[in-house]
Amino acid sequence: MDAIRLILTSRRALAGGADTAEMMAEVWQAQALAQAIGSRLAVSGPPELRGEALGLTELAGRGCGVLDPPELDPGDLRAAQLTRLDDARETLLCLGGLLGEVGIALVGMASAAADETTYWQCMEAIDAADESRDRVLEMLRKLAAREEVLPGDIQDSPSGV
């Protein structure tokens, strides 16, 4: 399944989360999806994104690691459904939005946490989501810089191609 479609599914599920357990499961799903996207970009994305993509993979993995993994059927794991990443820029824009929403959801859950364990899980996950989003924004900057350079290179070539 296409990365953007999976991100949109995660955004809808996160927005529709009813209780803390369901929201935590959706946060975990979003972090796992960010990890899978980072891994895909590190292996087959534009070369200038590969270092940041590896960092995203590590940070999103940390975001999953601080949360209790949800009990999911293997077919329900969105990250495992990732088969295509057609447009790196659009995917990163959507992923940045998802990670921002994850952070907001986590702040709400931390504020309402009934126990200290949940509070600290949320705080650690907020840090991971924020740092993951920073990596996404850096990759978007690198793509923008690449797009600014390419048109000039094409115009300066003798054949115009």
Side-chain angles (χ1 to χ4, degrees):
M1 190 177 298
D2 181 58
I4 293 172
R5 188 169 162 201
L6 290 168
I7 292 167
L8 294 176
T9 300
S10 283
R11 289 178 89 167
R12 282 191 300 274
L14 186 64
D19 60 16
T20 300
E22 192 175 320
M23 294 292 287
M24 289 292 246
E26 290 307 328
V27 166
W28 190 92
Q29 284 260 43
Q31 289 285 19
L33 183 56
Q35 185 179 27
I37 290 169
S39 179
R40 178 71 55 103
L41 286 170
V43 171
S44 59
E48 61 272 20
L49 301 186
R50 292 187 180 158
E52 295 295 332
L54 276 174
L56 173 61
T57 301
E58 292 170 14
L59 289 165
R62 191 181 92 208
C64 288
V66 299
L67 300 172
D68 295 328
E71 293 183 25
L72 297 171
D73 291 328
D76 293 334
L77 180 59
R78 287 186 205 107
Q81 297 173 24
L82 178 64
T83 57
R84 288 190 349 256
L85 199 154
D86 295 332
D87 183 343
R89 182 182 174 282
E90 188 65 28
T91 298
L92 290 170
L93 284 169
C94 291
L95 183 59
L98 174 61
L99 291 168
E101 291 169 11
V102 162
I104 291 167
L106 285 164
V107 168
M109 286 188 290
S111 298
D115 61 89
E116 202 168 309
T117 301
T118 302
Y119 173 81
W120 285 111
Q121 279 184 327
C122 288
M123 296 309 289
E124 290 292 325
I126 288 167
D127 286 343
D130 188 47
E131 290 177 35
S132 294
R133 189 165 185 266
D134 288 346
R135 292 292 172 126
V136 167
L137 294 174
E138 183 58 30
M139 286 189 276
L140 285 167
R141 282 192 225 39
K142 287 183 177 190
L143 281 177
R146 174 184 175 208
E147 289 171 5
E148 288 176 10
V149 170
L150 287 178
D153 289 346
I154 291 170
Q155 291 172 358
D156 294 339
S157 68
S159 65
V161 186

